[in-house]
Amino acid sequence: MDKRKQFNPFLRNVITGLYIFAFWILLPILLVKLSLPLDRKGMKKSFPWFIKAAGILISIISSFMLFLSVRDFKRGAGKLPITAIPPYDRIACKGVYAIWRHPVYLFYILLAAGIALITGSGGFLLVILPLFSVLCFIHAKIEEIWLIKKHGDAYRAYLKRTSLIFPKI
């Protein structure tokens, strides 16, 4: 019997809702709140129009790439990128996952950087975002340890073919 059918659909929807709330609503609010005191202490910048325009472009591209990342993960792994929902029996390795191992983290960080450029939040751009990026990197590495245990040589081969951040040539 398919393991996905054994997982309670109501519980799956509750967990999905909690993940959406936590990572797409609560986390951005928390990160912005952490940057506000820094901005009030003089880190708020008035960037020139072309920096703000670059922020808009980065935000648009990152939003689109986030969409592709979630879509490609769903197609490849058979579920949304929510580790609390089993099963996790397939490796997403097509689409953007053929280039990057963790594109959701990468483009989430780039989207946040674009928004920081638009708003001129020096506190977010220079302090909060680098700290958040390090935490995402640590989380990705922990996730990879778990994936190696789960998928063994198949995931090791995937690690060799793909990059964490910069595409391999």
Side-chain angles (χ1 to χ4, degrees), residues 4 26-27 37 43-44 59 100 105 113 123 129 143 145 150 167:
R4 278 174 272 158
L26 194 59
L27 183 60
M43 293 190 82
K44 183 84 170 164
S59 297
W100 297 285
Y105 303 148
L129 191 59
E143 198 172 71
I145 291 167
K150 176 104 174 121

Side-chain angles (χ1 to χ4, degrees), residues 40-108:
R40 282 193 286 267
K41 291 190 187 270
M43 293 190 82
K44 183 84 170 164
K45 303 292 177 196
S46 180
F47 293 126
W49 69 270
F50 57 89
I51 299 289
K52 290 183 180 190
I56 291 169
L57 185 62
I58 291 168
S59 297
I60 290 169
I61 292 170
S62 296
S63 296
F64 178 70
M65 293 303 292
L66 269 170
F67 168 77
L68 290 181
S69 299
V70 172
R71 183 201 67 183
D72 291 350
F73 189 92
K74 175 88 166 104
R75 288 179 177 172
K79 63 176 227 130
L80 292 172
I82 300 173
T83 54
I85 299 177
Y88 204 63
D89 296 331
R90 296 183 298 192
I91 301 169
C93 57
K94 293 184 178 165
V96 295
Y97 287 87
I99 302 167
W100 297 285
R101 292 192 303 270
H102 301 281
V104 171
Y105 303 148
L106 173 63
F107 294 111
Y108 193 90

Side-chain angles (χ1 to χ4, degrees), residues 7-64:
F7 197 77
N8 182 326
F10 174 75
L11 187 55
R12 179 183 305 272
N13 291 337
V14 167
I15 292 171
T16 300
L18 288 172
Y19 264 69
I20 290 169
F21 176 73
F23 292 103
W24 296 101
I25 298 170
L26 194 59
L27 183 60
I29 290 170
L30 176 66
L31 293 173
V32 167
K33 284 205 174 268
L34 289 171
S35 69
L36 288 176
L38 298 168
D39 288 342
R40 282 193 286 267
K41 291 190 187 270
M43 293 190 82
K44 183 84 170 164
K45 303 292 177 196
S46 180
F47 293 126
W49 69 270
F50 57 89
I51 299 289
K52 290 183 180 190
I56 291 169
L57 185 62
I58 291 168
S59 297
I60 290 169
I61 292 170
S62 296
S63 296
F64 178 70

